[in-house]
Amino acid sequence: MTRIPFLPLHDINARQAEALQAAASRVMASGWYLRGEETAAFERKFADYIGTAHCVGVANGLDALTLIFTALKIRHQWADGDEVLVPAMTFIATAEAVERAGLHPIFTEVTQDALIDPEALTAGLSEKTRAVCPVHLYGQMADMKAIQTFADAHGLLVVEDAAQAHGAQTDAGRAGALGTAAAFSFYPGKNLGALGDGGAVTTNDAALASLIRTLANYGAEQKYHHRYSGINSRLDEIQAAMLSVKLDRLDADNAHRRQVAAQYAEEITSPFVSLPYGGRSDSGIFHIYALRSPHRDKLQQHLHQVGIETLIHYPVPLHRQPVYSQAVTQSFPVAEQIAAEELSLPIGPTLNKESVHLIAQTINSFRL
């Protein structure tokens, strides 16, 4: 039986094995493993790529988003319990970051593309609302123009959760450069993934970047002098060096993902599924290829039987998670429908045309 893994990280990284090994050896030989030149070099390189003036490397994506909200809370003197609008369909880290900063996530409805719905934001608005946090879910960018218009009208800040959107862009600009600040994750499975964990904040605000860097260093502007109650969150030198190598082929890898998406759209003809974004493959960077089917579980089993690995992103929307379900009384029907129907197909920079064809034909052979 042919096995098609969801994301073969070994194969993805093997393409750059020589350069990655050289980078790791360079760091090891340097004798400097934290807060050194490799991290500074990657921060400059990633900021230039995103199109922002500043990048701050941190330990992971959750820390990146938490640090943004903590810094904004300090800077703007937000009160404990002030609110941030977040989509009901996303990974839980988005809401957890808001809470870790002492703020309160207010869930809002999403569009059929699983992105925060600008027209639904008003329903969550209150006198305590301070920011909107759009998530560029699955690598597809939220409608940043409409979100910024709403935010401007109500005196709110916009913080991008770009953890799944490395390299995504629209005519408005690149993900990570369109709000007050943006958070990225470099978890190994991301389009730009480390060989461990890592994250970053991008922003054009120098003072905000400086405050985030201080908060990530135990709240200290200089050693042993702690102005704030901070955390320890650092992107280490080896991961920074790995990311610098891998950034060089991010655009090419994203282009390959779009080619895979185009082939899926051309070859999948099953009446039991609907394609993401109406079959469009010219936008987003397809971190996830989010197929939908009302028969999702049976389809997943059908694919599994022939060795095709799939995942679900995400089976439970945020407002139905046990940690939030007792406090949230609203229903978000679109988010709930997506959670019940979404099935993630293999998509990545090493997936070949033959495998895509097999996956498509297996889906087309599905019967109830």
Side-chain angles (χ1 to χ4, degrees), residues 14 23 63 110 114 122 128 155 169 225 241 243 254 292 307 311 342:
D63 281 0
V110 296
T122 301
K128 292 185 176 182
Q169 62 183 15
H225 295 266
L243 290 165
N254 285 343
R292 284 174 58 182
L311 297 177
E342 194 277 340

Side-chain angles (χ1 to χ4, degrees), residues 288-308:
I288 299 295
Y289 191 86
L291 195 77
R292 284 174 58 182
S293 173
H295 314 289
R296 188 261 312 282
D297 295 343
K298 290 182 178 180
L299 176 60
Q300 185 177 40
Q301 181 60 29
H302 175 71
L303 290 162
H304 175 74
Q305 288 174 349
V306 297
I308 299 169

Side-chain angles (χ1 to χ4, degrees), residues 80-216:
D80 285 344
D82 279 353
E83 297 170 351
V84 178
L85 303 177
V86 303
M89 172 51 67
T90 183
F91 184 55
I92 197 169
T94 310
E96 286 182 331
V98 173
E99 290 192 308
R100 288 176 73 193
L103 304 170
H104 186 56
I106 300 297
F107 302 126
T108 64
E109 185 62 285
V110 296
T111 67
Q112 289 294 334
D113 289 339
L115 303 170
I116 196 166
D117 187 350
E119 296 185 1
L121 293 174
T122 301
L125 196 64
S126 80
E127 62 181 14
K128 292 185 176 182
T129 309
R130 300 292 177 258
V132 183
C133 184
V135 180
H136 304 311
L137 200 66
Y138 308 145
Q140 184 77 5
M141 287 181 63
D143 186 347
M144 292 300 293
K145 289 183 178 179
I147 292 165
Q148 191 64 61
T149 297
F150 174 86
D152 290 343
H154 298 282
L156 309 178
L157 300 181
V158 176
V159 175
E160 296 175 82
D161 183 336
Q164 299 185 12
H166 313 74
Q169 62 183 15
T170 66
D171 58 356
R174 199 183 287 276
L178 301 177
T180 300
F184 286 89
S185 165
F186 302 127
Y187 183 78
K190 304 298 186 184
N191 290 35
L192 179 62
L195 273 68
D197 218 337
V201 173
T202 56
T203 183
N204 284 313
D205 188 327
L208 183 63
S210 178
L211 178 54
I212 288 169
R213 198 177 294 280
T214 297
L215 290 169

